[in-house]
Amino acid sequence: QVQLVESGGGLVQPGGSLRLSCAASGSIFSIYVMGWYRQAPGKQRELVAHITSSGSTNYADSVKGRFTISRDNALKMMWLQMNSLQPKDTAVYYCTARVATMVATDDYWGQGTQVTVSS
């Protein structure tokens, strides 16, 4: 009953930018930490960045200074601004959130959005 939907992926040249969005919907009482993970072909899924409900952020070393995570609690939205993209950033990007409903608190995942950095 909780859905996370990502959008904004695509093909971009090295050095370019993309902005990913994640929209949460459903029977949501509260959203705690939200985050972005990515998974490249043949590799394990890895944390890109996460943000708490109060706005505290944490980034993987590989994206520090290039990516910015943000959220709007009222809109139940999260974004990932990605600048200076490199081919190594190519992956499927997943949105995740720890969500409290009236029944339980669980971790939810989106379906993923493909980001391809190539010339």
Side-chain angles (χ1 to χ4, degrees):
Q1 294 186 347
V2 174
Q3 286 189 321
L4 300 178
V5 179
E6 304 99 334
S7 60
L11 173 65
V12 63
Q13 293 187 340
S17 297
L18 282 176
R19 189 188 194 211
L20 304 183
S21 300
C22 173
S25 63
S27 304
I28 296 171
F29 179 72
S30 184
I31 303 177
Y32 302 114
V33 64
M34 300 183 78
W36 291 97
Y37 281 73
R38 67 186 180 185
Q39 187 166 19
K43 295 189 176 181
Q44 289 188 330
R45 191 172 296 190
E46 64 175 2
L47 174 69
V48 176
H50 65 70
I51 183 167
T52 67
S53 56
S54 62
S56 296
T57 60
N58 185 55
Y59 295 91
D61 288 342
S62 58
V63 307
K64 281 181 181 176
R66 301 188 297 123
F67 291 9
T68 302
I69 190 171
S70 60
R71 65 187 281 177
D72 186 310
N73 293 330
L75 294 177
K76 298 183 179 64
M77 293 281 298
M78 176 179 64
W79 299 273
L80 184 69
Q81 178 66 43
M82 305 185 294
N83 299 327
S84 302
L85 283 161
Q86 304 167 6
K88 67 179 182 179
D89 297 314
T90 295
V92 178
Y93 284 70
Y94 297 90
C95 163
T96 183
R98 180 156 293 176
V99 178
T101 65
M102 295 303 291
V103 178
T105 298
D106 291 298
D107 292 329
Y108 294 87
W109 292 82
Q111 82 287 352
T113 185
Q114 176 70 47
V115 172
T116 302
V117 185
S118 175
S119 55

